[in-house]
Amino acid sequence: MDYSLTEEQEMLKKSTRDFLEKECPKALVRELEKDTKGYSTELWRKMVDLGWMGLVIPEEYGGDGQSFLELAIVLEEMGRSVLPGPFFSMVVLGALPIIADGTEEQKREFLPGIAKGELLMTLALTEPDVTYDAEGVTVTATADKDDYIINGTKLFVFNAHIADWMLCVTRTKNGANPEEGITVFLVDAKTPGIEVTVLDTMGDDKQCEVLFNDVRVPKKNILGDLDRGWDVISKALEQATVAQCAVMIGQCIRVTEMTTEYAKTRVQFGAPIGVFQVTAHRSVDQ
């Protein structure tokens, strides 16, 4: 089986790398770590112009209709440059679940805005016990006429402080097993009762605590089926895992490049350390 990239995919990889090497130097990454937003609006607009936000969004909703592989190629290069910002949370955690499980009305409402880079989204899944399975979902959503009222706390929600909408994973009933009774809601982040706090993390990566206090959401904002939301989330987690692996591969490539360059220039005992066998073996193993 041939796993090599097509000519078009190689062009995408090269153009993405060239762009990020020019527009996202290490100095900018360090600067954005301390920025309250966590990303550069100028760089963001340039990425929008390149069509990255709509890369996997179908053409009928304003995107390019490319495959997940093209997205993974871009994510790998983003990982290599340690690109800060909400791209992953917006496209991988926000757009992909809507593409897979959204109604036609939801797709037309959200996907064009994502493709234009104007609608920032994220996924609110994990809670204080920090698990990625259905048993850890305790935030409740209680029916009230044509709405649901959400209460509880979500933790480590990426970029919630700048998000326009959140996919909030809730428990709408207690079923025979933890996967039953999970429902995903599209929640306007400006809805009264939502309180967002940016957490102080080692990576300065803008993870947030999100408190839901009697947050009212209309029934039409259910993503997927009522009480069957774990089907939505399980697919989203599979895609997010592969996407994050692409990011990490890019990061590993960059670390290898930095290590090799250091071994060529760091002089010890009158010679670059790369000429010593142990260092050379370790560089090859990477």
Side-chain angles (χ1 to χ4, degrees):
M1 183 176 291
D2 185 6
Y3 289 103
S4 59
L5 300 178
T6 65
E7 182 179 351
E8 291 78 10
Q9 290 166 345
E10 289 286 2
M11 291 174 60
L12 174 62
K13 183 180 182 68
K14 183 180 186 305
S15 64
T16 303
R17 178 171 296 193
D18 291 345
F19 173 83
L20 290 173
E21 285 185 344
K22 177 183 177 182
E23 301 291 344
C24 187
K26 287 189 290 185
L28 178 63
V29 175
R30 292 297 187 189
E31 177 185 334
L32 294 178
E33 285 181 343
K34 306 304 179 184
D35 184 84
T36 55
K37 299 191 308 294
Y39 74 106
S40 163
T41 53
E42 180 182 356
L43 177 56
W44 187 258
R45 293 313 310 172
K46 291 179 180 179
M47 291 163 56
V48 171
D49 292 340
L50 291 172
W52 291 355
M53 314 312 176
L55 191 65
V56 293
I57 292 177
E59 293 181 5
E60 60 263 39
Y61 306 113
D64 290 337
Q66 300 295 316
S67 73
F68 190 93
L69 178 55
E70 279 76 28
L71 176 61
I73 290 169
V74 172
L75 287 169
E76 181 181 308
E77 294 304 318
M78 289 180 173
R80 180 178 176 274
S81 293
V82 200
L83 174 71
F87 181 89
F88 192 100
S89 56
M90 184 180 76
V91 175
V92 178
L93 302 179
L96 290 180
I98 295 175
I99 293 170
D101 293 288
T103 64
E104 184 62 26
E105 180 183 356
Q106 290 168 346
K107 291 177 182 179
R108 295 197 177 279
E109 179 179 358
F110 295 103
L111 295 181
I114 295 174
K116 294 176 183 177
E118 298 172 350
L119 196 64
L120 303 183
M121 304 195 72
T122 191
L123 173 66
L125 170 61
T126 55
E127 299 185 10
D129 61 358
V130 199
T131 64
Y132 285 87
D133 54 31
E135 189 174 5
V137 178
T138 63
V139 168
T140 61
T142 306
D144 183 33
K145 298 180 181 179
D146 292 331
D147 299 329
Y148 275 81
I149 299 176
I150 300 176
N151 282 284
T153 301
K154 293 290 184 181
L155 275 183
F156 310 116
V157 182
F158 285 98
N159 301 303
H161 66 305
I162 56 173
D164 299 301
W165 288 79
M166 290 182 276
L167 277 66
C168 183
V169 185
T170 70
R171 184 163 298 282
T172 42
K173 77 172 185 179
N174 292 315
N177 58 66
E179 288 75 21
E180 292 184 30
I182 300 294
T183 304
V184 183
F185 288 90
L186 292 159
V187 181
D188 186 337
K190 305 302 186 294
T191 305
I194 295 177
E195 181 181 342
V196 178
T197 303
V198 179
L199 301 173
D200 185 14
T201 66
M202 293 179 65
D204 291 321
D205 52 357
K206 305 303 181 283
Q207 299 184 53
C208 302
E209 177 188 65
V210 183
L211 303 180
F212 294 86
N213 184 19
D214 292 335
V215 176
R216 187 172 292 272
V217 181
K219 289 181 179 179
K220 69 181 183 68
N221 283 20
I222 292 175
L223 182 63
D225 296 323
L226 178 67
D227 298 329
R228 296 291 303 277
W230 196 250
D231 294 339
V232 176
I233 295 304
S234 61
K235 285 184 289 186
L237 288 177
E238 288 177 357
Q239 291 177 316
T241 299
V242 176
Q244 185 60 36
C245 285
V247 174
M248 294 171 70
I249 288 171
Q251 293 169 341
C252 290
I253 290 172
R254 184 58 178 153
V255 169
T256 301
E257 293 169 347
M258 294 168 63
T259 302
T260 303
E261 182 62 27
Y262 183 78
K264 291 178 179 179
T265 58
R266 173 72 164 90
V267 176
Q268 187 66 34
F269 305 113
I273 62 174
V275 304
F276 300 120
Q277 190 177 51
V278 173
T279 305
H281 285 174
R282 289 184 179 275
S283 297
V284 170
D285 289 339
Q286 289 180 341

